[in-house]
Amino acid sequence: MAKTFREIPDQRPHTPILNEIDCPQDLRKLDLEKLADVADEVRAYLLYCVGKTGGHFGAGLGVTELTVALHYVFDTPHDRLVWDVGHQTYPHKILTGRREQMLSMRHQGGLSGFPKRSESVYDTFGVGHSSTSMSAALGMAMAAAQRSIERKTVAVMGDGAMTAGIAFEAINHAAHVDANLLVVLNDNQMSISRNVGGLSTYFSKLWSSKFYTQFRESGKKALSSMPSTTNFVRRTEEYMKSMVSPATIFEELGFYYVGPIDGHNLTLLIETLENLKDMKGAVLLHVITHKGKGFEAAEDDPVGYHALTKVQSKLEINELSEHKKALVLPKYQKVFGDWLCDMAEIDDRLIAITPAMCEGSGMNDFAERFPERFEDVAIAEQHAVTLAAGMACDDVKPVVAIYSTFLQRAYDQVIHDVALQNLDVLFAIDRAGLVGEDGATHAGAYDISYLRCIPNVIVMTPSDENETRQLLYTGYQFSGPAAVRYPRGIGPGAPIQEAMQLLAIGKGVLRRSGVQIAILNFGTLLPAALEVGDQINATVADMRFVKPLDDELIKKLANEHELLVTLEENSVAGGAGAAVSERMAGLNIVMPILHLGLPDLFADHAKHSEQLCNAGLDAASIKNAIEQRLKYL
């Protein structure tokens, strides 16, 4: 029975067995009866570390026993262990030589919050987006077969990863290739918890035993000349399984199915994995786990405790002005959620769509108030966009709330299904720009670049909370594809006007008048732009729109200044600055221009302020870049 904690440990817990495990080889030296204690110590240490650093921990708590069992049974890193949804991997990191680095998790220069190939040989595949493990593991298994290498490849699917289409594409392929693949389906949604019990456990042991598998295969050969008998036996076996497990669909797709079994029963996990270890072909093991297992609050509220912010002492809370500011100011996600509800009150055509990001995108209130107009399509970004396109064909107004990094997964659908047909869909693009401790996998660094090249789409970059509300309204009223990008977290604290105002499409506004230099700001870097403007007496324009651009404002600024500076929290390559240069060439304007934005590299995890500094997008760096450019005028 796993130990249950009621509080986050404030002091480093006593972990005598764990302290002696520097790699999985050390784990495999232990007697079986000690593994439950190892799992308890891993769980305690995980709670302690996440309490100090913040980060995802609900999924990790749920796979603690599974992680111990996998590293105990399989010869990692020779055997490949591929994790899906990196949130699961904190116990994996603890057991694979990174225990003493866990307090650096998600800090600049420290451990990533996700699996990362450059971080450890045990991280076989980098993961940030969901549902990639089966495809990647299948590729590794096929590569091993091609090179005649004996190894087992294990994909651990979890945290809703099976809801994405790519997972089923991999399933469809896996059954038709010569690959030694084990898929562990970590089901933490408790959707079939009634099947976890004595009868289910008995059949799971039976189906994974060497006796049964040998009998099954020999029976196939013996009955191969009697197709009617073979079909009868196969149907009988399937009917027996279907009484206690959802096996049939996986069997029909070509997987040998085992489960469901209790994912917190270490003895059963190890026994089952040992039985499956040498089984050839495509095998799926279905385990039932409880997200947040071992921490009382997370067990009761697995969604609310999906991730944890750093636990602050009372003294720290009093001293941290940013923390106090965050308690008062609304996040951009709340600004969007409030606008969504207000808009739905006055337009019954509005339908809100999200790919499994209801809480993250601030849609909880909308989902409760307008349940019949809320669609969470699970981790299926492509489907979300084409679903919206279909709705738009029949006089419904869909709003797709989606993280910038996840919209990348539906790029073909944005082009082919929405923009090509000029359908009336509004994209509320969350997490635009850098995202701090979540790092490169979740950064919204490219949406301006990949959207502005698409015909029919308008792209808006609000600079504060009120502009976000007003541009969402403007985009909603626009007849055609429209995108509003806004960042994670809080804004500068602009007063939010309750009345919704239709802003002029493609028109920016001057925020400050100066001389010689004009800063063309796109998005929420406006406070830094204004700070620099005050220091060097520069003009500052809030452009608001990347597409269409404000030609008249660009011509005015070019005529009255010696240097134009574009500023954006998006890749410089193909970004808003590039759009300004292209437009100036079209307008036959030739003058010096400096593009400031995200450099041509993936921004590693750090605090958002540190990331901006590293990218040269803090006020001091912006001022320095302008001064250096002035030397060449």
Side-chain angles (χ1 to χ4, degrees), residues 417-449:
D417 297 339
V418 176
L420 182 63
Q421 304 181 89
N422 199 25
L423 293 174
D424 196 8
V425 177
L426 174 64
F427 294 96
I429 303 177
D430 195 353
R431 269 63 168 183
L434 299 172
V435 290
E437 292 85 353
D438 281 346
T441 60
H442 282 55
Y446 312 106
D447 54 82
I448 290 178
S449 301

Side-chain angles (χ1 to χ4, degrees), residues 135-148 153 173-174 177-180:
S135 295
L138 180 60
M140 294 175 190
M142 293 173 67
Q146 179 71 24
R147 299 174 61 203
S148 300
T153 305
H173 187 206
V177 297
D178 180 21
N180 188 15

Side-chain angles (χ1 to χ4, degrees), residues 466 469-471 473-474 497-504:
N466 186 56
R469 179 176 173 86
Q470 306 310 331
L471 286 175
Y473 178 73
T474 300
Q497 300 170 6
E498 184 176 350
M500 288 181 274
Q501 179 182 1
L502 189 65
L503 302 181

Side-chain angles (χ1 to χ4, degrees), residues 358-513:
C358 176
E359 292 81 14
S361 292
M363 304 173 75
N364 290 35
D365 288 348
F366 181 88
E368 291 180 7
R369 291 176 56 186
F370 305 96
E372 72 286 355
R373 294 158 66 184
F374 173 71
E375 296 295 334
D376 185 340
V377 302
I379 304 173
E381 296 87 357
Q382 294 169 301
H383 169 60
V385 173
T386 303
L387 176 72
M391 288 181 173
C393 288
D394 279 333
D395 199 31
V396 165
K397 180 69 179 194
V399 178
V400 180
I402 188 167
Y403 291 10
S404 171
T405 185
F406 298 150
L407 185 58
Q408 295 164 187
R409 308 185 90 180
Y411 190 53
D412 176 67
Q413 285 68 33
V414 173
I415 296 174
H416 184 272
D417 297 339
V418 176
L420 182 63
Q421 304 181 89
N422 199 25
L423 293 174
D424 196 8
V425 177
L426 174 64
F427 294 96
I429 303 177
D430 195 353
R431 269 63 168 183
L434 299 172
V435 290
E437 292 85 353
D438 281 346
T441 60
H442 282 55
Y446 312 106
D447 54 82
I448 290 178
S449 301
Y450 68 66
L451 288 174
R452 75 173 189 85
C453 62
I454 305 174
N456 295 331
V457 180
I458 66 169
V459 182
M460 292 164 275
T461 58
S463 61
D464 59 35
E465 300 93 329
N466 186 56
E467 272 198 359
T468 299
R469 179 176 173 86
Q470 306 310 331
L471 286 175
L472 284 166
Y473 178 73
T474 300
Y476 186 87
Q477 299 298 335
F478 177 75
S479 180
V484 181
R485 75 183 309 255
Y486 49 90
R488 174 188 185 182
I490 61 173
I496 300 175
Q497 300 170 6
E498 184 176 350
M500 288 181 274
Q501 179 182 1
L502 189 65
L503 302 181
I505 300 291
K507 292 298 179 181
V509 291
L510 283 176
R511 298 296 188 187
R512 186 189 191 281
S513 296

